[in-house]
Amino acid sequence: MLVPIYYVPQILQQVALRGHNTQDLLASAGIILEDLGNASHKIPLTDFKALIRDALKLSGEPGLGLLVGRGLNPASHGIVGFAASSGASIADAMTIVARFLALRTPLVTMKIESDADEFRVVLDASPELDDTASLVLEVALVAVKNIADSLVLGGSICQRVHFAFPEPAYVGLSRDILGCDVLYGMAWSGMVFPLSGAMVKLSQHDAFVLQEAQLICQAELERVEHRGSLSEKIENMILKRQGEFLSLEQAAKLLNITPRTLERRLLDEHTTYQDIVCQLRRRIAHRYLCVDRISTKEAAFLLGYSDVANFRRAFKRWEGIPPSVFRRQTGKAS
């Protein structure tokens, strides 16, 4: 299994904060510094697990997963976090995360349950994680709780958190970071909210940005869907998935051909998969930046960039000017 390197930078940051050099961690996982800014880069699961084990050992911090999760705000999750932050309620936001979590990681699944009184967010780690499952669950659970908490003015409404593994020695850190009752040795991992609070409509909810983004993607889709080249079929495929920028391997699988065959056929059309994605992002970026209500930060996340700085660098490489200057020239707000 290949896994995205999302959240690897945050793991490295926690290790570095404790005074340790992280170069060896990167090297052991076959990652170079340039890879950390590439949202589509993936590494074998075995390397990812080795990196986690080495990070735990090097940092000497058994609660590393909690600390990594604490540093992840909604913006850290790219388009998934952005979409969830536009939810009409906590229940709506958590449903969005559950639906699209696979876009960020294949290592954790999430489902929603409710009854007359409670709204439950249930997370489950892949059995392939083995001894690293508890850390990955901690990262995911704290990060998802951060999304829910960010939607509520005045503090969290989460009643309690469950973990389906034994109580660790760092339980105090767990309760400090999560800020609510934390129970271990439970039948499932996740969060419990009062149903009434989870269903309350959020006053700051504004669905305009997502609606506008969907309209832009639809317009682009209509632009290419009647053409027949392979490159245009790939653009069509990406746009139909509402801006999910597939890896070459994912695109090849959907086209029922091998990655090598896809690369060869694109070379016959005098292009590459990377060029197609780059040009599509460039074109859609122009349209996003010409909409007043879509900020530069939101445009970056809608285009699949996990860090707005990476988007700014890419845009300057495309146009020779940063997005802020482009917006001023087109008379739009930054």
Side-chain angles (χ1 to χ4, degrees):
M1 178 191 293
L2 294 175
V3 298
I5 61 168
Y6 299 135
Y7 319 132
V8 167
Q10 288 82 3
I11 294 173
L12 298 175
Q13 181 183 47
Q14 288 299 322
V15 174
L17 284 173
R18 284 153 181 79
H20 300 289
N21 190 310
T22 59
Q23 291 302 312
D24 290 342
L25 284 177
L26 284 174
S28 66
I31 301 171
I32 60 176
L33 283 175
E34 289 77 6
D35 292 335
L36 296 178
N38 181 358
S40 63
H41 187 72
K42 295 183 178 183
I43 61 174
L45 177 58
T46 51
D47 290 345
F48 181 71
K49 291 190 292 186
L51 184 145
I52 289 175
R53 295 183 188 111
D54 290 345
L56 280 167
K57 182 177 179 180
L58 190 59
S59 68
E61 175 53 73
L64 184 66
L66 296 167
L67 295 168
V68 170
R70 182 174 64 179
L72 296 171
N73 58 35
S76 305
H77 312 290
I79 185 62
V80 177
F82 175 63
S85 296
S86 300
S89 65
I90 286 178
D92 188 33
M94 294 296 95
T95 301
I96 290 171
V97 176
R99 181 181 176 189
F100 296 112
L101 185 59
L103 299 182
R104 298 298 288 178
T105 176
L107 300 176
V108 179
T109 57
M110 178 172 152
K111 63 180 180 179
I112 303 301
E113 299 176 349
S114 63
D115 56 27
D117 302 310
E118 293 183 343
F119 178 85
R120 294 181 291 274
V121 177
V122 180
L123 290 93
D124 191 27
S126 167
E128 295 185 57
L129 282 167
D130 305 318
D131 58 314
T132 63
S134 59
L135 182 143
V136 171
L137 266 177
E138 287 172 338
V139 173
L141 201 151
V142 177
V144 174
K145 184 175 182 293
N146 287 346
I147 294 174
D149 291 350
S150 72
L151 298 171
V152 182
L153 299 177
S156 174
I157 66 165
C158 181
Q159 291 180 319
R160 64 185 185 274
V161 166
H162 290 196
F163 283 114
F165 52 86
E167 182 175 303
Y170 52 89
V171 62
L173 175 66
S174 177
R175 289 175 178 143
D176 286 344
I177 288 177
L178 289 161
C180 63
D181 195 14
V182 184
L183 305 177
Y184 287 90
M186 305 301 287
W188 53 275
S189 296
M191 295 169 283
V192 178
F193 297 87
L195 182 64
S196 57
M199 301 300 291
V200 169
K201 296 297 181 183
L202 301 171
S203 59
Q204 68 269 35
H205 169 61
D206 183 356
F208 176 87
V209 172
L210 279 181
Q211 290 173 351
E212 189 68 24
Q214 289 169 355
L215 287 173
I216 288 171
C217 284
Q218 181 60 35
E220 286 292 323
L221 178 60
E222 291 170 359
R223 176 181 178 275
V224 302
E225 66 181 355
H226 298 302
R227 303 177 187 180
S229 70
L230 179 59
S231 58
E232 285 156 340
K233 285 181 181 177
I234 290 170
E235 286 190 14
N236 184 312
M237 194 161 57
I238 292 171
L239 290 163
K240 281 186 174 178
R241 297 169 76 91
Q242 295 186 1
E244 179 192 345
F245 287 84
L246 305 167
S247 67
L248 182 143
E249 291 76 14
Q250 290 171 319
K253 185 175 181 180
L254 289 171
L255 291 166
N256 200 30
I257 57 178
T258 66
R260 187 181 296 274
T261 299
L262 176 55
E263 288 179 314
R264 178 176 52 77
R265 289 177 60 184
L266 288 174
L267 284 175
D268 290 341
E269 294 184 7
H270 308 290
T271 189
T272 66
Y273 188 79
Q274 184 177 6
D275 286 343
I276 293 169
V277 172
C278 181
Q279 289 304 314
L280 184 58
R281 274 183 163 141
R282 180 180 183 178
R283 204 166 68 235
I284 297 176
H286 280 204
R287 302 190 68 165
Y288 284 161
L289 294 175
C290 287
V291 178
D292 286 330
R293 293 272 293 277
I294 298 180
S295 70
T296 299
K297 186 175 182 180
E298 289 165 342
F301 298 146
L302 286 166
L303 288 166
Y305 290 90
S306 57
D307 185 341
V308 68
N310 292 333
F311 169 61
R312 289 193 178 106
R313 283 192 290 269
F315 193 88
K316 190 171 183 180
R317 189 168 62 248
W318 299 332
E319 309 302 333
I321 56 175
S324 56
V325 175
F326 177 85
R327 301 197 81 150
R328 284 198 297 272
Q329 290 179 351
T330 56
K332 303 301 177 183
S334 61

